[in-house]
Amino acid sequence: SLDTRGLPRIFKKFKKSKKGTCDECDIAEPQGVQGGSQTVSDQTSSALEKLYGTIKGVNLVKTGSTVHVSFDPKTAALYGASEIYGCTVVIVLDGQGAVIGHYPQEYGNVITMNDAAATQNKIITPLEAALDLIDFTTQTQAYIVHSSTEKSTGYNAIVQALTENDMPKTNIHSMTYTAGLSTVGHRGKVVVQWELKEDGGARLKLYVQNEEPVYVRDFDKDKNPCAEI
């Protein structure tokens, strides 16, 4: 556990989520439980590709980096990971903000997700440090985008780092993909979009190599969820 390793408990127990006050006529059907392998078409252009192309360079998380961002209810925002070709990307998000970690497929002469030491050094340590910077709630969702398997050392270490700090396991989603494919069209694209709404709230979306988002949530002007998952 983190306690036995002398590390802080990153979530310090999730706070209970508060339901937001929202315009009931403009609430998207909440999504946040999708997972599993992605069906990725062979098309060479897409709306996601165009959206990805508008992300500022400073908002693209490069391989080997982990960032945390806080959302402003009055400012739209767009973030992503540099195109993935075999790497692991971890996204933890809700209306408070997001943590995006982009981790290399290989570390030295080992596959990162297959090696305990590499997983600890390149994924768990920086991920825990970033997660400690945002107050997440019981509605926070985590997505592990990876080219390994759910039996891999790395995948289980990431899940453990989340669950032993009170994140419900049902809030953690595995999204596998095949490494080494072309990154044309929406392939290789991971995008987090914070989109402002007319009622003063915002809509948060996560796209993972697909035209349709795997996560859609509406939040009020205080960043509380309009509907709970």
Side-chain angles (χ1 to χ4, degrees):
S1 69
L2 296 181
D3 293 330
T4 59
R5 301 206 306 267
L7 297 171
R9 291 174 63 80
I10 52 180
F11 292 119
K12 307 178 187 68
K13 292 198 178 287
F14 279 18
K15 297 186 301 182
K16 173 66 178 172
S17 174
K18 178 182 178 182
K19 189 176 184 299
T21 303
C22 306
D23 181 355
E24 297 296 330
C25 296
D26 189 30
I27 298 178
E29 184 68 25
Q31 301 175 38
V33 296
Q34 298 92 331
S37 299
Q38 287 284 280
T39 300
V40 183
S41 75
D42 292 325
Q43 67 187 79
T44 57
S45 64
S46 72
L48 179 57
E49 182 180 38
K50 293 176 181 178
L51 181 65
Y52 183 87
T54 66
I55 301 175
K56 296 179 180 179
V58 68
N59 290 344
L60 276 177
V61 182
K62 305 297 191 295
T63 307
S65 300
T66 306
V67 302
H68 78 281
V69 296
S70 296
F71 296 130
D72 182 339
K74 296 182 180 180
T75 305
L78 194 64
Y79 299 92
S82 57
E83 290 181 323
I84 56 175
Y85 195 72
C87 294
T88 296
V89 176
V90 178
I91 310 102
V92 183
L93 75 172
D94 70 8
Q96 298 304 312
V99 166
I100 306 171
H102 187 177
Y103 307 113
Q105 181 182 19
E106 298 179 355
Y107 177 54
N109 60 352
V110 300
I111 301 298
T112 307
M113 293 283 277
N114 292 345
D115 184 86
T119 293
Q120 180 62 47
N121 292 334
K122 304 303 289 185
I123 301 178
I124 302 303
T125 297
L127 179 62
E128 287 175 342
L131 289 170
D132 201 28
L133 300 174
I134 298 179
D135 291 327
F136 289 119
T137 74
T138 52
Q139 288 292 296
T140 302
Q141 304 288 313
Y143 292 82
I144 305 170
V145 183
H146 60 109
S147 59
S148 59
T149 73
E150 293 171 13
K151 294 181 180 179
S152 71
T153 298
Y155 178 83
N156 283 284
I158 295 168
V159 170
Q160 182 181 350
L162 296 169
T163 57
E164 71 182 2
N165 285 276
D166 304 323
M167 185 177 211
K169 198 166 186 177
T170 52
N171 291 25
I172 303 171
H173 313 288
S174 171
M175 308 201 72
T176 60
Y177 72 100
T178 302
L181 298 179
S182 167
T183 57
V184 298
H186 51 227
R187 292 181 183 272
K189 315 293 191 299
V190 176
V191 176
V192 174
Q193 182 179 31
W194 178 253
E195 187 177 32
L196 300 187
K197 298 174 58 183
E198 292 183 0
D199 63 6
R203 180 165 293 166
L204 179 59
K205 299 178 183 178
L206 169 64
Y207 295 87
V208 180
Q209 302 194 96
N210 203 292
E211 294 298 290
E212 297 298 323
V214 297
Y215 172 103
V216 180
R217 299 295 300 281
D218 283 346
F219 296 87
D220 69 7
K221 59 184 178 60
D222 296 315
K223 302 192 289 187
N224 296 312
C226 294
E228 295 187 339
I229 294 178

